[in-house]
Amino acid sequence: MTKTISGGCKCGAIRYLGEASDVSTFRCYCRDCQRLTGTGHSEMFPLVAASFQLVGPYSEYQMTGGSGRSTWSVFCPTCGSPLTRRSERMAHCVYVHASSLDEPEEYMPSRSIYTEAAQTWDQPSLNQ
Ligand SMILES: [Zn+2]
Ligand SMILES: [Zn+2]
């Protein structure tokens, strides 16, 4: 049973669509996520990469992730909303930022990662 998930940026220029993946959701406290979101952590919802469609004039930024391999961040060049993350290491998934979903209530974080990088003002609340 697949569920189609949609979302987009604040200004509406960029929209995306994809099938929910059964890979677990996560909350990431790494410094990259902190800088990309401007907050203490990101909330990431996985979609099946093969089903993923992104429509609109997006920008993509490539960087080296904690694993030493490439990761990419897609964002809207007009309003600046962060939209997706993907990586060489997890090529079968595209992770969308949970708050960009049309129905953010579809998301429920299941684990926290890179908790050692968490800021004192945003401590991990999941017991993992
Ligand atoms: Zn936008
Ligand atoms: Zn991260």
Side-chain angles (χ1 to χ4, degrees):
M1 207 173 69
T2 58
K3 184 167 172 59
T4 300
I5 299 290
S6 62
C9 68
K10 166 62 184 163
C11 77
I14 317 252
R15 297 286 303 158
Y16 64 76
L17 198 69
E19 285 170 18
S21 164
D22 54 10
V23 168
S24 71
T25 58
F26 65 85
R27 197 170 255 188
C28 183
Y29 289 84
C30 81
R31 284 292 287 148
D32 286 346
C33 286
Q34 291 175 9
R35 287 190 188 279
L36 289 166
T37 62
T39 63
H41 65 271
S42 62
E43 302 276 3
M44 305 309 290
F45 186 96
L47 300 178
V48 176
S51 72
F52 189 71
Q53 296 174 53
L54 192 62
V55 180
Y58 64 88
S59 287
E60 190 168 42
Y61 175 66
Q62 183 177 1
M63 69 205 116
T64 303
S67 66
R69 302 180 64 182
S70 290
T71 74
W72 291 267
S73 168
V74 162
F75 59 95
C76 174
T78 302
C79 70
S81 306
L83 292 166
T84 77
R85 291 291 297 279
R86 64 185 177 89
S87 70
E88 278 181 346
R89 204 163 61 89
M90 292 283 283
H92 55 291
C93 282
V94 174
Y95 292 89
V96 298
H97 289 275
S99 295
S100 70
L101 297 170
D102 288 337
E103 296 175 345
E105 60 274 16
E106 294 284 346
Y107 174 76
M108 185 58 69
S110 56
R111 64 196 175 104
S112 295
I113 63 172
Y114 291 105
T115 53
E116 66 281 2
Q119 300 297 328
T120 53
W121 40 263
D122 188 25
Q123 285 293 298
S125 56
L126 297 173
N127 295 324
Q128 313 214 18

